[in-house]
Amino acid sequence: MKAIDLTRKPPGYVVAALVCSLGGFLFGMDTGIIGPVTVMEDFKRYVGTPSPTIHGLIVSSILIPAAISSFFAGRLADILGRSRSIATGAFIFGLGCALEAGAVHIGMFVVGRVVEGIGEGLYLGTLVVYTCEISPPRDRGRLTTAPQLLITVGLMTGFFTCYGTEKINSSFSWRLPFLLLAAYAFAFTAAAFFWLPPSPRWLSLHRRTDEAEKTWERLDVPAADREKILGQMDVSVVEGAALHNNQGSDTLSLTTSNNIEARRTAPESKKMQLLDVFSPDARPRLFLAVFLMGMQQLSGIDGVLYYAPLLFQQAGLDSNKATFLASGVSAIVIFTVTIPATLYADQWGRRITTVLGGLGMAATMFLMGGLYAGGAVDEGRGAGRWIVIVCIYLFAVIFSISWAICVKLYTAEIQPQRTRASATSMAHGSNWISNFLVALCTPALLANSSYGAYFLFGSCTLLTAIVAAVFMPETRGKSLDEIDMAFRARSPMQEWGKVKGMLSWKWRKMVLTDEVEMNHDQIA
Protein backbone atom coordinates (compact mmCIF):
# COMPACT_ATOMS: atom_id res chain seq x y z
CA MET A 1 0.00 0.00 0.00
CA LYS A 2 1.40 3.37 -1.02
CA ALA A 3 2.23 5.68 1.88
CA ILE A 4 0.51 9.05 2.04
CA ASP A 5 2.86 12.02 1.84
CA LEU A 6 1.64 14.21 4.70
CA THR A 7 4.24 16.88 3.89
CA ARG A 8 2.83 17.53 0.44
CA LYS A 9 1.14 20.90 0.12
CA PRO A 10 -2.57 20.58 -0.80
CA PRO A 11 -3.74 22.21 -4.04
CA GLY A 12 -4.81 25.83 -3.82
CA TYR A 13 -8.44 25.03 -4.64
CA VAL A 14 -8.61 22.66 -1.64
CA VAL A 15 -7.24 25.31 0.72
CA ALA A 16 -9.61 27.94 -0.72
CA ALA A 17 -12.58 25.61 -0.34
CA LEU A 18 -11.68 24.86 3.27
CA VAL A 19 -11.30 28.55 4.12
CA CYS A 20 -14.63 29.21 2.45
CA SER A 21 -16.18 26.40 4.50
CA LEU A 22 -15.39 28.27 7.71
CA GLY A 23 -18.49 30.33 6.96
CA GLY A 24 -20.54 27.26 7.85
CA PHE A 25 -19.06 27.42 11.35
CA LEU A 26 -20.80 30.76 11.96
CA PHE A 27 -24.20 29.40 11.02
CA GLY A 28 -23.70 26.26 13.11
CA MET A 29 -22.57 28.16 16.19
CA ASP A 30 -25.55 30.51 16.05
CA THR A 31 -27.88 27.51 15.78
CA GLY A 32 -26.16 25.91 18.77
CA ILE A 33 -26.31 29.09 20.85
CA ILE A 34 -29.82 30.43 20.40
CA GLY A 35 -31.78 27.48 21.82
CA PRO A 36 -29.85 27.18 25.11
CA VAL A 37 -29.62 30.97 25.54
CA THR A 38 -33.39 31.45 25.42
CA VAL A 39 -33.93 28.98 28.28
CA MET A 40 -31.15 30.35 30.51
CA GLU A 41 -32.45 31.74 33.79
CA ASP A 42 -30.50 35.03 33.43
CA PHE A 43 -31.90 35.56 29.93
CA LYS A 44 -35.47 34.93 31.11
CA ARG A 45 -34.98 37.30 34.05
CA TYR A 46 -33.67 39.92 31.64
CA VAL A 47 -36.45 39.70 29.03
CA GLY A 48 -39.21 38.01 31.02
CA THR A 49 -40.36 34.42 30.64
CA PRO A 50 -41.61 34.28 27.03
CA SER A 51 -44.70 32.40 25.93
CA PRO A 52 -44.19 29.58 23.38
CA THR A 53 -45.17 31.95 20.56
CA ILE A 54 -42.78 34.71 21.70
CA HIS A 55 -40.07 32.10 22.23
CA GLY A 56 -40.55 30.99 18.62
CA LEU A 57 -40.48 34.58 17.37
CA ILE A 58 -37.20 35.34 19.19
CA VAL A 59 -35.51 32.30 17.69
CA SER A 60 -37.01 32.61 14.21
CA SER A 61 -36.58 36.38 13.78
CA ILE A 62 -33.28 35.68 12.02
CA LEU A 63 -34.88 33.57 9.32
CA ILE A 64 -37.25 35.78 7.31
CA PRO A 65 -34.54 38.46 6.79
CA ALA A 66 -32.22 35.62 5.76
CA ALA A 67 -34.83 34.36 3.30
CA ILE A 68 -35.34 37.82 1.78
CA SER A 69 -31.63 38.62 1.47
CA SER A 70 -30.86 35.17 0.06
CA PHE A 71 -33.16 35.85 -2.90
CA PHE A 72 -30.83 38.72 -3.85
CA ALA A 73 -27.58 37.04 -2.83
CA GLY A 74 -27.11 35.54 -6.29
CA ARG A 75 -27.43 38.93 -7.93
CA LEU A 76 -24.96 40.41 -5.44
CA ALA A 77 -22.55 37.52 -6.08
CA ASP A 78 -22.82 38.13 -9.84
CA ILE A 79 -22.00 41.83 -9.39
CA LEU A 80 -19.34 41.81 -6.65
CA GLY A 81 -17.95 38.34 -7.19
CA ARG A 82 -18.37 35.26 -5.02
CA SER A 83 -15.61 35.95 -2.49
CA ARG A 84 -16.49 39.62 -1.90
CA SER A 85 -20.16 38.72 -1.56
CA ILE A 86 -19.25 36.15 1.10
CA ALA A 87 -17.14 38.73 2.96
CA THR A 88 -19.95 41.32 2.84
CA GLY A 89 -22.51 38.90 4.24
CA ALA A 90 -20.19 37.70 7.00
CA PHE A 91 -19.47 41.29 8.08
CA ILE A 92 -23.19 42.09 8.36
CA PHE A 93 -23.66 38.84 10.28
CA GLY A 94 -20.95 39.93 12.74
CA LEU A 95 -22.67 43.28 13.30
CA GLY A 96 -25.88 41.46 14.18
CA CYS A 97 -24.06 39.24 16.69
CA ALA A 98 -22.53 42.33 18.31
CA LEU A 99 -25.99 43.91 18.67
CA GLU A 100 -27.31 40.77 20.34
CA ALA A 101 -24.38 40.67 22.74
CA GLY A 102 -24.93 44.31 23.73
CA ALA A 103 -28.75 44.25 23.80
CA VAL A 104 -30.28 46.36 26.58
CA HIS A 105 -33.84 45.14 25.93
CA ILE A 106 -35.60 42.43 23.94
CA GLY A 107 -36.27 44.77 20.99
CA MET A 108 -32.56 45.39 20.47
CA PHE A 109 -31.91 41.66 20.71
CA VAL A 110 -34.47 40.95 18.00
CA VAL A 111 -33.01 43.73 15.81
CA GLY A 112 -29.64 42.03 16.17
CA ARG A 113 -31.21 38.75 15.04
CA VAL A 114 -32.68 40.50 12.00
CA VAL A 115 -29.33 42.08 11.01
CA GLU A 116 -27.61 38.75 11.56
CA GLY A 117 -30.19 37.09 9.29
CA ILE A 118 -29.57 39.58 6.47
CA GLY A 119 -25.88 38.75 6.51
CA GLU A 120 -26.48 35.02 6.81
CA GLY A 121 -28.76 35.00 3.78
CA LEU A 122 -26.17 36.89 1.72
CA TYR A 123 -23.20 34.65 2.33
CA LEU A 124 -24.36 31.13 3.21
CA GLY A 125 -25.67 30.00 -0.18
CA THR A 126 -22.73 31.58 -1.99
CA LEU A 127 -20.31 29.32 -0.08
CA VAL A 128 -21.59 26.31 -2.01
CA VAL A 129 -21.61 28.17 -5.33
CA TYR A 130 -18.01 29.33 -4.91
CA THR A 131 -16.70 25.90 -3.95
CA CYS A 132 -18.66 24.23 -6.76
CA GLU A 133 -17.12 26.61 -9.31
CA ILE A 134 -13.49 26.06 -8.33
CA SER A 135 -13.56 22.28 -7.75
CA PRO A 136 -12.77 19.54 -10.28
CA PRO A 137 -15.59 16.97 -10.63
CA ARG A 138 -13.66 14.26 -8.74
CA ASP A 139 -13.39 16.48 -5.61
CA ARG A 140 -16.56 18.53 -5.92
CA GLY A 141 -18.67 16.40 -3.57
CA ARG A 142 -16.20 16.37 -0.68
CA LEU A 143 -15.30 20.06 -0.95
CA THR A 144 -18.81 21.36 -1.52
CA THR A 145 -20.10 19.48 1.52
CA ALA A 146 -17.25 20.72 3.75
CA PRO A 147 -19.35 23.71 4.96
CA GLN A 148 -21.80 21.19 6.42
CA LEU A 149 -18.97 19.61 8.42
CA LEU A 150 -18.04 23.06 9.74
CA ILE A 151 -21.69 23.70 10.58
CA THR A 152 -21.58 20.66 12.87
CA VAL A 153 -18.35 21.94 14.44
CA GLY A 154 -20.06 25.29 15.08
CA LEU A 155 -23.13 23.54 16.46
CA MET A 156 -20.99 21.57 18.90
CA THR A 157 -19.05 24.70 19.86
CA GLY A 158 -22.27 26.64 20.46
CA PHE A 159 -23.84 24.01 22.71
CA PHE A 160 -20.74 23.56 24.85
CA THR A 161 -20.08 27.31 25.03
CA CYS A 162 -23.53 27.71 26.56
CA TYR A 163 -22.93 24.71 28.80
CA GLY A 164 -19.87 26.53 30.18
CA THR A 165 -21.32 30.05 30.43
CA GLU A 166 -24.59 28.89 32.03
CA LYS A 167 -22.72 28.84 35.36
CA ILE A 168 -21.98 32.59 35.19
CA ASN A 169 -24.23 34.49 37.59
CA SER A 170 -24.98 37.51 35.39
CA SER A 171 -26.20 38.48 31.93
CA PHE A 172 -22.69 37.67 30.73
CA SER A 173 -23.85 34.04 30.72
CA TRP A 174 -25.80 34.67 27.51
CA ARG A 175 -23.84 37.68 26.18
CA LEU A 176 -20.47 35.93 26.01
CA PRO A 177 -21.51 33.33 23.38
CA PHE A 178 -22.63 36.13 21.04
CA LEU A 179 -19.45 38.12 21.68
CA LEU A 180 -17.37 35.11 20.66
CA LEU A 181 -19.54 34.56 17.59
CA ALA A 182 -19.10 38.21 16.53
CA ALA A 183 -15.30 37.86 16.85
CA TYR A 184 -15.33 34.72 14.70
CA ALA A 185 -17.51 36.46 12.09
CA PHE A 186 -15.16 39.44 11.73
CA ALA A 187 -12.14 37.12 11.51
CA PHE A 188 -13.83 35.15 8.72
CA THR A 189 -14.74 38.41 6.96
CA ALA A 190 -11.07 39.39 6.83
CA ALA A 191 -10.06 35.94 5.55
CA ALA A 192 -12.70 35.95 2.81
CA PHE A 193 -11.98 39.50 1.67
CA PHE A 194 -8.19 39.44 1.67
CA TRP A 195 -7.36 35.82 0.99
CA LEU A 196 -10.07 34.07 -1.06
CA PRO A 197 -9.40 34.57 -4.79
CA PRO A 198 -12.36 35.41 -7.03
CA SER A 199 -14.05 32.55 -8.85
CA PRO A 200 -12.31 32.03 -12.23
CA ARG A 201 -15.70 31.22 -13.73
CA TRP A 202 -17.06 34.55 -12.55
CA LEU A 203 -14.01 36.30 -14.02
CA SER A 204 -14.54 34.52 -17.34
CA LEU A 205 -18.19 35.49 -17.45
CA HIS A 206 -17.09 39.10 -16.98
CA ARG A 207 -14.58 38.75 -19.84
CA ARG A 208 -11.58 39.04 -17.54
CA THR A 209 -9.92 36.01 -19.08
CA ASP A 210 -6.33 36.96 -18.22
CA GLU A 211 -7.23 37.28 -14.53
CA ALA A 212 -9.13 34.01 -14.75
CA GLU A 213 -6.05 32.20 -16.06
CA LYS A 214 -3.89 33.58 -13.26
CA THR A 215 -6.50 32.57 -10.71
CA TRP A 216 -6.65 29.02 -12.08
CA GLU A 217 -2.89 28.84 -11.61
CA ARG A 218 -3.14 30.22 -8.08
CA LEU A 219 -5.75 27.56 -7.30
CA ASP A 220 -3.49 24.84 -8.77
CA VAL A 221 -6.27 23.47 -10.98
CA PRO A 222 -4.76 21.34 -13.81
CA ALA A 223 -5.48 22.39 -17.38
CA ALA A 224 -7.50 19.23 -18.08
CA ASP A 225 -9.73 19.95 -15.09
CA ARG A 226 -10.18 23.56 -16.17
CA GLU A 227 -11.62 22.37 -19.46
CA LYS A 228 -14.08 20.12 -17.66
CA ILE A 229 -15.12 22.89 -15.29
CA LEU A 230 -15.44 25.51 -18.03
CA GLY A 231 -17.20 23.15 -20.43
CA GLN A 232 -20.52 23.45 -18.63
CA MET A 233 -20.16 27.21 -18.41
CA ASP A 234 -19.55 27.56 -22.13
CA VAL A 235 -22.45 25.33 -23.12
CA SER A 236 -24.92 26.87 -20.70
CA VAL A 237 -24.15 30.44 -21.69
CA VAL A 238 -24.29 29.58 -25.39
CA GLU A 239 -27.68 27.99 -24.77
CA GLY A 240 -28.77 31.16 -23.03
CA ALA A 241 -27.66 33.20 -26.03
CA ALA A 242 -29.47 30.80 -28.34
CA LEU A 243 -32.69 31.10 -26.35
CA HIS A 244 -32.33 34.86 -26.34
CA ASN A 245 -31.82 35.05 -30.09
CA ASN A 246 -34.34 32.27 -30.95
CA GLN A 247 -31.64 30.28 -32.68
CA GLY A 248 -32.06 26.65 -33.60
CA SER A 249 -30.25 23.53 -32.51
CA ASP A 250 -27.28 24.26 -34.77
CA THR A 251 -26.04 26.70 -32.15
CA LEU A 252 -25.51 23.87 -29.70
CA SER A 253 -23.20 22.02 -32.09
CA LEU A 254 -20.51 24.70 -31.99
CA THR A 255 -16.95 23.65 -31.24
CA THR A 256 -15.35 24.56 -27.92
CA SER A 257 -13.60 27.57 -29.40
CA ASN A 258 -16.82 28.83 -30.90
CA ASN A 259 -18.57 28.25 -27.58
CA ILE A 260 -16.03 30.46 -25.85
CA GLU A 261 -16.46 33.13 -28.50
CA ALA A 262 -20.23 32.94 -28.18
CA ARG A 263 -19.87 33.27 -24.43
CA ARG A 264 -17.86 36.45 -24.91
CA THR A 265 -20.42 37.93 -27.30
CA ALA A 266 -23.57 36.73 -25.55
CA PRO A 267 -25.75 39.60 -24.33
CA GLU A 268 -24.62 40.65 -20.86
CA SER A 269 -28.14 41.58 -19.83
CA LYS A 270 -29.39 38.10 -20.59
CA LYS A 271 -26.65 36.43 -18.60
CA MET A 272 -27.18 38.58 -15.58
CA GLN A 273 -30.97 38.75 -15.48
CA LEU A 274 -32.42 37.33 -12.30
CA LEU A 275 -35.50 36.09 -14.16
CA ASP A 276 -33.34 33.92 -16.42
CA VAL A 277 -33.80 31.17 -13.81
CA PHE A 278 -37.32 30.79 -15.23
CA SER A 279 -36.14 30.07 -18.78
CA PRO A 280 -37.29 26.69 -20.18
CA ASP A 281 -34.00 24.88 -19.60
CA ALA A 282 -33.44 26.25 -16.06
CA ARG A 283 -37.00 26.33 -14.66
CA PRO A 284 -37.44 22.59 -13.83
CA ARG A 285 -34.10 22.55 -11.99
CA LEU A 286 -35.03 25.67 -10.03
CA PHE A 287 -38.35 24.17 -8.94
CA LEU A 288 -36.68 20.90 -7.89
CA ALA A 289 -34.00 22.79 -5.95
CA VAL A 290 -36.57 25.03 -4.22
CA PHE A 291 -38.65 22.00 -3.24
CA LEU A 292 -35.72 19.98 -1.90
CA MET A 293 -34.24 22.87 0.09
CA GLY A 294 -37.62 23.79 1.56
CA MET A 295 -38.44 20.23 2.55
CA GLN A 296 -34.98 19.79 4.06
CA GLN A 297 -36.11 22.09 6.87
CA LEU A 298 -39.64 20.69 7.04
CA SER A 299 -38.00 17.42 8.03
CA GLY A 300 -37.81 19.11 11.44
CA ILE A 301 -34.04 19.17 11.77
CA ASP A 302 -33.85 22.74 13.02
CA GLY A 303 -36.77 22.08 15.33
CA VAL A 304 -34.48 19.44 16.85
CA LEU A 305 -31.36 21.64 16.84
CA TYR A 306 -32.92 24.94 17.98
CA TYR A 307 -35.10 23.37 20.64
CA ALA A 308 -33.00 20.38 21.72
CA PRO A 309 -33.18 21.52 25.38
CA LEU A 310 -37.00 21.66 25.15
CA LEU A 311 -37.21 18.23 23.52
CA PHE A 312 -35.02 16.67 26.17
CA GLN A 313 -37.05 18.40 28.91
CA GLN A 314 -40.22 17.01 27.35
CA ALA A 315 -38.65 13.54 27.37
CA GLY A 316 -37.88 13.77 31.08
CA LEU A 317 -34.54 15.55 31.60
CA ASP A 318 -35.46 18.25 34.10
CA SER A 319 -32.48 20.63 34.53
CA ASN A 320 -30.80 23.10 32.18
CA LYS A 321 -27.45 21.47 32.83
CA ALA A 322 -28.77 18.04 31.87
CA THR A 323 -30.49 19.29 28.71
CA PHE A 324 -27.47 21.38 27.65
CA LEU A 325 -25.21 18.38 28.15
CA ALA A 326 -27.58 16.12 26.18
CA SER A 327 -27.69 18.77 23.42
CA GLY A 328 -23.89 18.98 23.39
CA VAL A 329 -23.60 15.20 23.16
CA SER A 330 -26.00 15.25 20.19
CA ALA A 331 -23.75 17.84 18.52
CA ILE A 332 -20.71 15.59 19.06
CA VAL A 333 -22.59 12.67 17.51
CA ILE A 334 -23.62 14.81 14.54
CA PHE A 335 -20.05 16.04 14.03
CA THR A 336 -18.63 12.52 14.28
CA VAL A 337 -20.92 11.00 11.65
CA THR A 338 -20.55 14.00 9.34
CA ILE A 339 -16.81 13.35 8.91
CA PRO A 340 -17.17 10.04 7.01
CA ALA A 341 -20.26 11.37 5.25
CA THR A 342 -18.18 14.28 3.91
CA LEU A 343 -15.21 12.09 2.96
CA TYR A 344 -17.41 9.64 1.06
CA ALA A 345 -19.72 12.24 -0.50
CA ASP A 346 -18.40 11.38 -3.97
CA GLN A 347 -18.89 7.64 -3.44
CA TRP A 348 -22.53 7.82 -2.35
CA GLY A 349 -25.24 8.51 -4.90
CA ARG A 350 -27.15 11.74 -4.32
CA ARG A 351 -30.52 10.25 -5.27
CA ILE A 352 -30.36 7.03 -3.26
CA THR A 353 -28.96 8.90 -0.25
CA THR A 354 -31.87 11.35 -0.35
CA VAL A 355 -34.47 8.59 -0.66
CA LEU A 356 -33.07 6.30 2.04
CA GLY A 357 -32.34 9.22 4.37
CA GLY A 358 -35.90 10.46 4.00
CA LEU A 359 -37.37 7.04 4.77
CA GLY A 360 -35.13 6.65 7.83
CA MET A 361 -35.98 10.08 9.24
CA ALA A 362 -39.69 9.55 8.63
CA ALA A 363 -39.53 6.25 10.55
CA THR A 364 -37.90 7.87 13.60
CA MET A 365 -40.37 10.77 13.60
CA PHE A 366 -43.37 8.44 13.37
CA LEU A 367 -41.94 6.27 16.15
CA MET A 368 -41.52 9.26 18.50
CA GLY A 369 -44.97 10.58 17.64
CA GLY A 370 -46.48 7.16 18.22
CA LEU A 371 -44.84 6.84 21.64
CA TYR A 372 -46.19 10.23 22.75
CA ALA A 373 -49.62 9.59 21.25
CA GLY A 374 -49.80 6.21 23.00
CA GLY A 375 -48.90 7.69 26.39
CA ALA A 376 -45.61 5.78 26.65
CA VAL A 377 -43.69 8.93 27.65
CA ASP A 378 -46.15 10.33 30.19
CA GLU A 379 -44.40 12.62 32.69
CA GLY A 380 -41.00 11.48 31.41
CA ARG A 381 -41.17 8.07 33.10
CA GLY A 382 -40.51 4.56 31.83
CA ALA A 383 -38.59 3.14 28.91
CA GLY A 384 -40.50 5.26 26.40
CA ARG A 385 -38.56 8.42 27.26
CA TRP A 386 -35.23 6.71 26.60
CA ILE A 387 -36.48 5.45 23.25
CA VAL A 388 -37.45 9.05 22.40
CA ILE A 389 -34.01 10.34 23.44
CA VAL A 390 -32.31 7.67 21.32
CA CYS A 391 -34.60 8.52 18.39
CA ILE A 392 -33.67 12.22 18.65
CA TYR A 393 -30.03 11.23 18.30
CA LEU A 394 -30.81 8.73 15.54
CA PHE A 395 -32.82 11.29 13.57
CA ALA A 396 -29.96 13.80 13.76
CA VAL A 397 -27.47 11.13 12.64
CA ILE A 398 -29.54 10.06 9.63
CA PHE A 399 -30.05 13.68 8.59
CA SER A 400 -26.34 14.44 8.95
CA ILE A 401 -25.21 11.57 6.72
CA SER A 402 -27.90 12.07 4.09
CA TRP A 403 -29.87 15.25 3.53
CA ALA A 404 -27.37 17.56 5.21
CA ILE A 405 -24.70 16.39 2.79
CA CYS A 406 -26.42 15.79 -0.51
CA VAL A 407 -29.33 18.25 -0.75
CA LYS A 408 -27.33 21.50 -0.74
CA LEU A 409 -24.70 20.00 -3.03
CA TYR A 410 -27.34 18.67 -5.41
CA THR A 411 -29.28 21.93 -5.66
CA ALA A 412 -26.11 23.83 -6.63
CA GLU A 413 -24.59 21.36 -9.07
CA ILE A 414 -27.75 20.75 -11.14
CA GLN A 415 -28.12 24.41 -12.15
CA PRO A 416 -26.85 25.82 -15.47
CA GLN A 417 -23.81 28.05 -14.98
CA ARG A 418 -25.53 31.27 -15.98
CA THR A 419 -28.23 30.80 -13.32
CA ARG A 420 -26.32 28.86 -10.65
CA ALA A 421 -25.83 31.75 -8.23
CA SER A 422 -29.39 33.08 -8.59
CA ALA A 423 -31.10 29.67 -8.55
CA THR A 424 -29.07 28.46 -5.57
CA SER A 425 -29.90 31.66 -3.70
CA MET A 426 -33.61 31.21 -4.39
CA ALA A 427 -33.41 27.62 -3.18
CA HIS A 428 -31.75 28.84 0.01
CA GLY A 429 -34.56 31.39 0.34
CA SER A 430 -37.04 28.51 0.30
CA ASN A 431 -34.89 26.85 2.96
CA TRP A 432 -34.99 29.95 5.16
CA ILE A 433 -38.76 30.33 4.86
CA SER A 434 -39.33 26.70 5.82
CA ASN A 435 -36.83 27.12 8.63
CA PHE A 436 -38.81 30.13 9.88
CA LEU A 437 -42.03 28.13 9.95
CA VAL A 438 -40.34 25.29 11.84
CA ALA A 439 -38.64 27.61 14.34
CA LEU A 440 -41.81 29.65 14.90
CA CYS A 441 -44.26 26.78 15.24
CA THR A 442 -42.26 24.10 17.08
CA PRO A 443 -42.61 25.60 20.61
CA ALA A 444 -46.36 26.08 20.12
CA LEU A 445 -46.76 22.56 18.70
CA LEU A 446 -44.84 21.06 21.61
CA ALA A 447 -46.90 23.08 24.11
CA ASN A 448 -50.25 22.07 22.61
CA SER A 449 -49.55 18.52 21.47
CA SER A 450 -46.78 16.18 22.52
CA TYR A 451 -46.93 14.26 19.24
CA GLY A 452 -48.28 16.60 16.53
CA ALA A 453 -44.90 18.03 15.51
CA TYR A 454 -43.42 14.55 15.05
CA PHE A 455 -46.22 13.33 12.77
CA LEU A 456 -46.08 16.58 10.76
CA PHE A 457 -42.33 16.40 10.18
CA GLY A 458 -42.45 12.68 9.46
CA SER A 459 -45.12 13.17 6.78
CA CYS A 460 -43.13 15.94 5.08
CA THR A 461 -40.02 13.78 5.07
CA LEU A 462 -41.83 10.77 3.62
CA LEU A 463 -43.33 12.93 0.85
CA THR A 464 -39.89 14.25 -0.06
CA ALA A 465 -38.42 10.74 -0.27
CA ILE A 466 -41.16 9.79 -2.75
CA VAL A 467 -40.60 12.90 -4.88
CA ALA A 468 -36.83 12.31 -4.88
CA ALA A 469 -37.32 8.72 -6.03
CA VAL A 470 -39.35 9.94 -9.00
CA PHE A 471 -37.74 13.20 -10.10
CA MET A 472 -34.04 13.25 -9.13
CA PRO A 473 -31.50 12.26 -11.80
CA GLU A 474 -28.26 10.93 -10.30
CA THR A 475 -25.29 13.36 -10.47
CA ARG A 476 -22.54 11.55 -8.57
CA GLY A 477 -19.17 11.67 -10.34
CA LYS A 478 -20.53 13.55 -13.34
CA SER A 479 -19.16 16.75 -14.80
CA LEU A 480 -21.48 19.72 -14.80
CA ASP A 481 -21.90 19.24 -18.54
CA GLU A 482 -22.97 15.62 -18.05
CA ILE A 483 -25.41 16.72 -15.34
CA ASP A 484 -26.89 19.19 -17.80
CA MET A 485 -27.38 16.42 -20.38
CA ALA A 486 -28.88 14.09 -17.75
CA PHE A 487 -31.51 16.68 -16.92
CA ARG A 488 -32.37 17.11 -20.57
CA ALA A 489 -32.77 13.36 -20.91
CA ARG A 490 -34.88 13.09 -17.77
CA SER A 491 -36.87 16.23 -17.17
CA PRO A 492 -39.29 16.41 -14.24
CA MET A 493 -42.25 16.80 -16.59
CA GLN A 494 -41.28 13.61 -18.44
CA GLU A 495 -41.02 11.75 -15.13
CA TRP A 496 -44.39 13.11 -14.01
CA GLY A 497 -45.84 11.99 -17.35
CA LYS A 498 -44.51 8.49 -16.71
CA VAL A 499 -46.03 8.46 -13.23
CA LYS A 500 -49.39 9.67 -14.51
CA GLY A 501 -49.28 7.10 -17.28
CA MET A 502 -48.50 4.32 -14.81
CA LEU A 503 -51.27 5.43 -12.43
CA SER A 504 -53.70 5.77 -15.34
CA TRP A 505 -52.85 2.25 -16.53
CA LYS A 506 -53.33 0.82 -13.05
CA TRP A 507 -56.64 2.66 -12.71
CA ARG A 508 -57.88 1.34 -16.06
CA LYS A 509 -56.80 -2.17 -15.03
CA MET A 510 -58.73 -1.87 -11.75
CA VAL A 511 -61.84 -0.58 -13.55
CA LEU A 512 -61.67 -3.36 -16.15
CA THR A 513 -61.19 -5.96 -13.41
CA ASP A 514 -64.19 -4.62 -11.51
CA GLU A 515 -66.29 -4.65 -14.70
CA VAL A 516 -65.34 -8.23 -15.48
CA GLU A 517 -66.16 -9.32 -11.92
CA MET A 518 -69.47 -7.43 -12.04
CA ASN A 519 -70.45 -9.01 -15.38
CA HIS A 520 -69.45 -12.41 -14.00
CA ASP A 521 -71.68 -11.86 -10.97
CA GLN A 522 -74.57 -10.77 -13.19
CA ILE A 523 -74.23 -13.87 -15.36
CA ALA A 524 -74.06 -16.04 -12.27
Side-chain angles (χ1 to χ4, degrees):
M1 184 176 178
K2 186 177 179 181
I4 298 174
D5 183 7
L6 297 178
T7 62
R8 184 179 178 184
K9 181 182 177 181
Y13 68 85
V14 172
V15 177
L18 293 178
V19 171
C20 182
S21 299
L22 292 173
F25 178 86
L26 304 179
F27 173 75
M29 187 169 177
D30 177 76
T31 302
I33 285 173
I34 189 61
V37 157
T38 52
V39 296
M40 285 184 180
E41 293 302 323
D42 282 298
F43 184 84
K44 289 191 286 188
R45 278 198 296 267
Y46 198 74
V47 303
T49 302
S51 66
T53 301
I54 298 301
H55 189 180
L57 283 172
I58 293 172
V59 173
S60 63
S61 56
I62 190 176
L63 299 172
I64 288 298
I68 295 172
S69 64
S70 69
F71 280 114
F72 301 98
R75 178 63 174 165
L76 182 67
D78 285 336
I79 295 173
L80 297 181
R82 313 314 192 207
S83 54
R84 290 188 176 182
S85 178
I86 291 170
T88 301
F91 180 76
I92 296 173
F93 179 93
L95 291 178
C97 295
L99 285 172
E100 288 172 273
V104 295
H105 50 71
I106 189 59
M108 184 175 175
F109 187 85
V110 171
V111 168
R113 300 285 297 161
V114 170
V115 173
E116 189 181 348
I118 293 172
E120 203 167 68
L122 289 177
Y123 85 82
L124 196 60
T126 311
L127 298 178
V128 178
V129 174
Y130 177 83
T131 307
C132 193
E133 290 186 348
I134 67 171
S135 304
R138 65 180 178 277
D139 295 322
R140 190 174 63 239
R142 286 188 294 269
L143 295 179
T144 308
T145 55
Q148 179 60 33
L149 179 62
L150 270 295
I151 287 175
T152 64
V153 176
L155 184 66
M156 184 170 56
T157 303
F159 277 132
F160 279 107
T161 299
C162 292
Y163 178 73
T165 62
E166 198 260 345
K167 303 174 184 177
I168 301 174
N169 234 351
S170 70
S171 66
F172 208 59
S173 62
W174 58 268
R175 295 184 191 276
L176 182 56
F178 289 110
L179 282 173
L180 293 173
L181 184 56
Y184 296 150
F186 292 136
F188 175 69
T189 299
F193 189 84
F194 294 108
W195 196 91
L196 279 184
S199 165
R201 286 179 162 209
W202 178 82
L203 291 171
S204 296
L205 280 173
H206 285 73
R207 304 172 187 171
R208 295 159 61 176
T209 53
D210 292 339
E211 292 180 60
E213 286 299 318
K214 292 178 182 177
T215 305
W216 284 125
E217 293 175 4
R218 178 179 172 184
L219 293 171
D220 300 319
V221 177
D225 288 326
R226 297 179 202 177
E227 293 177 6
K228 291 179 182 178
I229 296 173
L230 286 171
Q232 168 70 11
M233 180 185 71
D234 297 335
V235 171
S236 64
V237 175
V238 170
E239 290 171 356
L243 290 169
H244 180 74
N245 296 318
N246 296 319
Q247 294 173 347
S249 59
D250 291 341
T251 306
L252 303 182
S253 63
L254 294 171
T255 62
T256 301
S257 60
N258 287 339
N259 284 346
I260 296 174
E261 182 60 31
R263 168 172 51 82
R264 289 173 176 169
T265 58
E268 186 74 15
S269 60
K270 178 65 180 179
K271 290 184 293 184
M272 295 303 176
Q273 282 178 356
L274 183 64
L275 294 181
D276 199 29
V277 295
F278 297 106
S279 61
D281 66 318
R283 184 171 57 241
R285 309 182 207 189
L286 171 68
F287 291 163
L288 180 59
V290 166
F291 174 80
L292 290 175
M293 287 291 280
M295 297 306 283
Q296 185 193 49
Q297 291 303 325
L298 289 178
S299 69
I301 182 59
D302 273 356
V304 171
L305 297 180
Y306 282 137
Y307 300 112
L310 279 181
L311 296 180
F312 287 121
Q313 283 177 8
Q314 187 186 45
L317 300 181
D318 55 1
S319 69
N320 275 353
K321 188 168 291 293
T323 57
F324 288 4
L325 180 59
S327 302
V329 171
S330 70
I332 292 176
V333 172
I334 291 171
F335 168 70
T336 303
V337 300
T338 302
I339 294 174
T342 301
L343 294 177
Y344 290 99
D346 286 315
Q347 278 71 49
W348 298 349
R350 323 292 199 230
R351 179 172 175 269
I352 191 66
T353 301
T354 303
V355 173
L356 294 181
L359 294 176
M361 288 186 290
T364 59
M365 281 291 182
F366 288 143
L367 177 56
M368 288 188 284
L371 288 170
Y372 277 112
V377 204
D378 284 344
E379 299 181 4
R381 292 196 299 264
R385 68 167 180 163
W386 296 111
I387 297 175
V388 168
I389 290 172
V390 170
C391 283
I392 291 173
Y393 286 126
L394 185 59
F395 172 84
V397 166
I398 296 173
F399 180 88
S400 299
I401 63 176
S402 59
W403 286 19
I405 294 296
C406 64
V407 170
K408 289 181 181 179
L409 168 61
Y410 189 85
T411 56
E413 68 183 0
I414 65 175
Q415 306 302 329
Q417 167 62 28
R418 72 183 189 281
T419 63
R420 180 169 293 116
S422 296
T424 303
S425 297
M426 289 185 176
H428 274 265
S430 167
N431 189 274
W432 290 119
I433 291 173
S434 299
N435 199 346
F436 171 78
L437 294 174
V438 171
L440 177 64
C441 297
T442 297
L445 286 172
L446 293 174
N448 291 286
S449 169
S450 59
Y451 55 84
Y454 297 103
F455 284 129
L456 173 63
F457 296 144
S459 300
C460 291
T461 307
L462 180 61
L463 172 64
T464 307
I466 295 171
V467 172
V470 175
F471 295 117
M472 279 181 68
E474 183 54 65
T475 60
R476 179 179 66 88
K478 295 181 179 180
S479 68
L480 297 179
D481 187 35
E482 291 170 334
I483 293 171
D484 186 63
M485 295 179 66
F487 255 90
R488 294 178 181 280
R490 183 183 178 180
S491 70
M493 292 307 299
Q494 289 173 335
E495 294 301 314
W496 176 238
K498 293 178 183 177
V499 173
K500 288 197 296 184
M502 182 177 66
L503 294 176
S504 176
W505 178 81
K506 288 186 176 181
W507 174 255
R508 289 197 303 270
K509 185 178 178 181
M510 290 172 60
V511 171
L512 289 173
T513 302
D514 291 342
E515 289 179 353
V516 169
E517 291 178 353
M518 184 175 65
N519 292 335
H520 178 75
D521 292 340
Q522 290 175 349
I523 293 172

